[in-house]
């Protein structure tokens, strides 16, 4: 929650960011710092790209854990979808490395990044 608050503060006045985190997601983020670190990096990259490349002014972040072994990040924004979808940048490389699966898609004004991170079952 501290990192999300910082993300909202950094983009304040440029982009309105709303966040929702389920209780199950909060528990795993507190217990598994590696998962929390990856989620934070993905969210920073997603918001930065939405604003810088997509001209987004609104972002909605949802973090949930509906399945025991997956943390799901959903980042919606009202900007533009990337023009070069096949270009592999630093963000795409990171997503390929840490996510079970991820997808970015949508149309102008309705773009969503969905990312699933693996979670240890002992937590």
């Amino acid at each position: 929650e501290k990192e999300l608050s910082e993300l909202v503060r950094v983009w304040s006045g440029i982009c309105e960011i709303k966040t929702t985190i389920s209780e199950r997601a909060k528990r795993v983020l507190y217990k598994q710092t590696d998962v929390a670190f990856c989620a934070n990096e993905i969210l920073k990259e997603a918001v930065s790209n939405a604003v810088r490349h997509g001209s987004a002014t609104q972002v909605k972040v949802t973090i949930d854990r509906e399945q025991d072994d997956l943390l799901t990040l959903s980042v919606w924004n009202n900007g533009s979808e990337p023009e070069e979808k096949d270009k592999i940048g630093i963000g795409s490389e990171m997503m390929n490395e840490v996510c079970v699966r991820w997808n970015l898609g949508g149309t102008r004004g309705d773009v969503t990044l969905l990312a699933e991170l693996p979670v240890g079952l002992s937590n």
Side-chain angles (χ1 to χ4, degrees):
E1 290 178 316
K2 183 178 104 178
E3 287 82 2
L4 281 176
S5 295
E6 179 64 14
L7 188 64
V8 170
R9 188 193 65 72
V10 165
W11 291 101
S12 178
I14 299 167
C15 181
E16 177 186 8
I17 303 172
K18 295 184 179 180
T19 62
T20 304
I21 310 172
S22 73
E23 287 302 316
R24 286 191 82 207
K26 283 181 188 178
R27 284 194 298 271
V28 79
L29 290 169
Y30 286 125
K31 290 180 180 179
Q32 295 188 17
T33 56
D34 56 338
V35 175
F37 177 81
C38 290
N40 187 48
E41 291 301 309
I42 289 169
L43 295 176
K44 289 191 303 188
E45 182 75 10
V47 172
S48 176
N49 285 346
V51 174
R52 292 181 322 148
H53 302 300
S55 301
T57 58
Q58 296 177 335
V59 172
K60 293 179 186 169
V61 173
T62 304
I63 305 173
D64 202 358
R65 186 180 174 204
E66 291 179 14
Q67 297 180 38
D68 288 342
D69 59 345
L70 292 175
L71 184 73
T72 303
L73 308 176
S74 174
V75 185
W76 172 91
N77 74 74
N78 69 340
S80 300
E81 185 179 23
E83 292 178 16
E84 298 181 46
K85 290 182 92 171
D86 295 332
K87 184 178 177 187
I88 301 292
I90 293 171
S92 298
E93 286 181 15
M94 174 182 59
M95 300 289 282
N96 288 337
E97 185 72 26
V98 301
C99 294
V100 173
R101 70 187 140 264
W102 68 278
N103 182 52
L104 175 65
T107 59
R108 175 97 180 107
D110 185 19
V111 178
T112 301
L113 167 70
L114 290 173
E116 295 178 335
L117 294 168
V119 171
L121 294 177
S122 62
N123 293 308

